[in-house]
Amino acid sequence: MTDLRALPWPTAPITTERLVLRQTEARDRAGVIELNASPEVGTYLGGPQPRDELERMVPEVPGQRPGFFVAELDGALIGTVQLDPHDRERVGEHRAEAGGTELGYLFLPAAWGRGYATEACTAALGWFADALPGEPVVLYTQTANARSMRLAAKLGFTERERFEKYDAEQWLGVWSPVAPPA
């Protein structure tokens, strides 16, 4: 299993039909804070984080690491997509062997329901499949998060397991790109 952190970064921006996925810049700080402070965004993530705490903790240029993309529409941040090393401690006994990378995404409520998350995550997974051919990706979400469950299905994640954590039923899915012939 190749470590995502070893990939060269930043990558060139990825352009989709409507979006640009790019590395973060200083101008994205306010948007990243807004995402994490939003009660709607935090509904299935343990709630919003306190804005004053985020103002203190979020660096001038947030998310400067391989696999962290800003999803930009018409020059403005509408969300983020992250492909991060799978935190095996966070999941404990729950399928730590499923994959070495975890997909995460946050989108501003004004961007919901327009297919932007599907478009952005598809592009990020395509980048990942090119960078690390054949490597699986995991996705965790609460089963109560109907939007996230639909997105996981659209992206091609298949259910591996359901389990109880954080006082809610959780869903673990795995996405496996087709490895190129040797």
Side-chain angles (χ1 to χ4, degrees):
M1 194 172 318
T2 307
D3 188 345
L4 184 68
R5 293 171 287 203
L7 294 177
W9 194 259
T11 186
I14 300 168
T15 304
T16 70
E17 184 178 327
R18 302 176 293 173
L19 304 174
V20 174
L21 272 65
R22 60 170 175 75
Q23 73 176 44
T24 55
E25 300 170 357
R27 66 184 170 117
D28 301 316
R29 185 176 188 274
V32 168
I33 289 171
E34 181 61 31
L35 278 168
N36 288 285
S38 167
E40 296 88 355
V41 173
T43 298
Y44 299 103
L45 302 171
Q49 296 176 34
R51 186 175 296 276
D52 60 339
E53 185 178 307
L54 289 165
E55 291 286 353
R56 283 192 311 275
M57 296 181 66
V58 173
E60 182 181 335
V61 181
Q64 289 191 298
R65 62 182 186 272
F68 190 104
F69 295 96
V70 163
E72 178 181 280
L73 175 68
D74 298 329
L77 178 149
I78 62 166
T80 61
V81 176
Q82 308 90 44
L83 288 154
D84 288 319
H86 185 191
D87 183 355
R88 296 172 194 283
E89 294 298 316
R90 182 176 76 91
V91 297
E93 72 280 6
H94 298 285
R95 302 291 184 183
E97 78 283 357
T101 302
E102 182 177 344
L103 175 67
Y105 41 85
L106 300 174
F107 283 81
L108 292 169
W112 293 358
R114 295 183 171 93
Y116 296 134
T118 302
E119 192 172 327
C121 290
T122 297
L125 287 168
W127 168 81
F128 180 84
D130 287 344
L132 298 172
E135 292 287 329
V137 176
V138 297
L139 169 68
Y140 293 90
T141 191
Q142 285 187 20
T143 57
N145 188 344
R147 289 179 184 271
S148 191
M149 293 292 293
R150 283 192 303 272
L151 178 57
K154 285 180 191 176
L155 294 172
F157 281 83
T158 55
E159 183 173 330
R160 177 65 72 86
E161 180 178 2
R162 291 182 187 215
F163 57 94
E164 189 79 17
K165 195 158 189 168
Y166 310 115
D167 297 322
E169 184 180 54
Q170 307 293 321
W171 184 89
L172 165 64
V174 178
W175 178 85
S176 296
V178 177

